[in-house]
Each structure stands twice: as C-alpha cells, then as structure tokens.
Amino acid sequence: IFCLSSSKIIHNVNEYLYEPATIDLTKSGSKTTLYVRLCESSSMNGSQTIINMTRYCYCLESKHIDTTGKSCSIPGPTLLMHDKTNINVTVVNELTGSAIFHSHSNDYKDMDITNIHVHGLHVDPYVDDVLINIYPNGSKHSYNYNIGYHYPGTF
C-alpha cells in the first residue's frame, strides 16, 4: 500500500498531529470524489485565538450535503492505493468564481481554478496533467489512474 497524505492544522499548542480521513482505493475500480471549497480555520494558543483565516480545503461530501464542513480537511485526505490497479478520483470545484477567464493558465486573478497532481506515482502524464483547469461554480474533472508496478513507500 502507498498513500498520498498530509495532516490537518494543529489548532491548539498541546494538540498532537493526527491523520486526516483515509479513503481506501486499494481495490481495482475504486473511485472517490473530492470537493474543493473555502473553509474557515483558526490557529489557537490554548483557548486564545491567534489568527482566523479562510483557506482552500478538500471535502468528502458536497456543500449541499455537508453544510457545516465536517467532512473537510486542510490539506485533503489520505488516499490509499495498491499497485496494479485502476482508480478514479473526481475533483469538483465548489469555489465561487468568475465565469470569464482570459487565459489558459491559472493567473493570480483566477485563484479559484484548481486541479490535482501526484508526485511519485508512475502514471500517464496525460492523465496527471498539471495544466488541467477545473473552473469554479461546480465544474469537475475525473482522473483515471492506471497504476502499474510501483515501489512501496510513496507519499
């Protein structure tokens, strides 16, 4: 098993790092959907708030189902995968943004465009294309990964 992983923000000084939600994609044909939206986050010193901020987060449920953001994390969940499998990861951009785009790249003015890219996986570069634009207001894109033999331990 190898995974793409990150841990959540520490909210309190004495709080330990813990693993975010885990999505099991180890069986061939597995699929999942990640929803990108804005979430509020706070950095705390005990009970004292140091900073409140709004950041991009990855959610396991649509904002229409998860209205409180309980399925969301900053950064996203851990994706468990096996080699020699085919999996599908769909990303839905739930950010609110402009419907007019003037370029093919994600310019500073277009920070509501998103995509995902994997490091360390030996997958088709046309599938793992860093120039894919998933526009705001509900646009989505599916990444169909055909994972061949892979050395263990990729994160």
Side-chain angles (χ1 to χ4, degrees), residues 57-78:
C57 60
Y58 296 86
C59 308
L60 303 178
E61 296 178 331
S62 167
K63 63 183 176 183
H64 303 293
I65 296 170
D66 177 15
T67 58
T68 62
K70 290 191 185 250
S71 74
C72 303
S73 63
I74 303 169
T78 301

Side-chain angles (χ1 to χ4, degrees), residues 5-11 15-21 72-73:
S5 176
S6 299
S7 41
K8 288 187 177 183
I9 290 177
I10 299 175
H11 293 284
E15 188 175 307
Y16 294 101
L17 286 175
Y18 60 96
E19 286 294 319
C72 303
S73 63

Side-chain angles (χ1 to χ4, degrees), residues 5-129:
S5 176
S6 299
S7 41
K8 288 187 177 183
I9 290 177
I10 299 175
H11 293 284
N12 295 298
V13 170
N14 295 323
E15 188 175 307
Y16 294 101
L17 286 175
Y18 60 96
E19 286 294 319
T22 300
I23 301 174
D24 185 354
L25 300 170
T26 55
K27 290 179 9 181
S28 194
S30 295
K31 61 183 178 177
T32 192
T33 302
L34 298 175
Y35 300 87
V36 179
R37 64 177 116 147
L38 293 175
C39 293
E40 293 181 12
S41 177
S42 298
S43 292
M44 307 286 287
N45 181 2
S47 61
Q48 180 183 6
T49 301
I50 297 172
I51 188 170
N52 288 319
M53 61 188 131
T54 302
R55 299 194 48 179
Y56 299 109
C57 60
Y58 296 86
C59 308
L60 303 178
E61 296 178 331
S62 167
K63 63 183 176 183
H64 303 293
I65 296 170
D66 177 15
T67 58
T68 62
K70 290 191 185 250
S71 74
C72 303
S73 63
I74 303 169
T78 301
L79 305 177
L80 295 177
M81 301 175 230
H82 274 296
D83 59 354
K84 301 178 184 171
T85 57
N86 295 308
I87 64 161
N88 179 286
V89 178
T90 299
V91 177
V92 179
N93 187 344
E94 292 189 323
L95 297 169
T96 302
S98 171
I100 300 172
F101 301 98
H102 302 286
S103 69
H104 296 289
S105 61
N106 193 5
D107 294 332
Y108 182 74
K109 63 180 176 25
D110 297 328
M111 293 180 64
D112 47 13
I113 298 171
T114 192
N115 70 18
I116 61 173
H117 168 64
V118 296
H119 286 252
L121 289 181
H122 299 273
V123 296
D124 185 337
Y126 293 108
V127 173
D128 190 37
D129 183 354

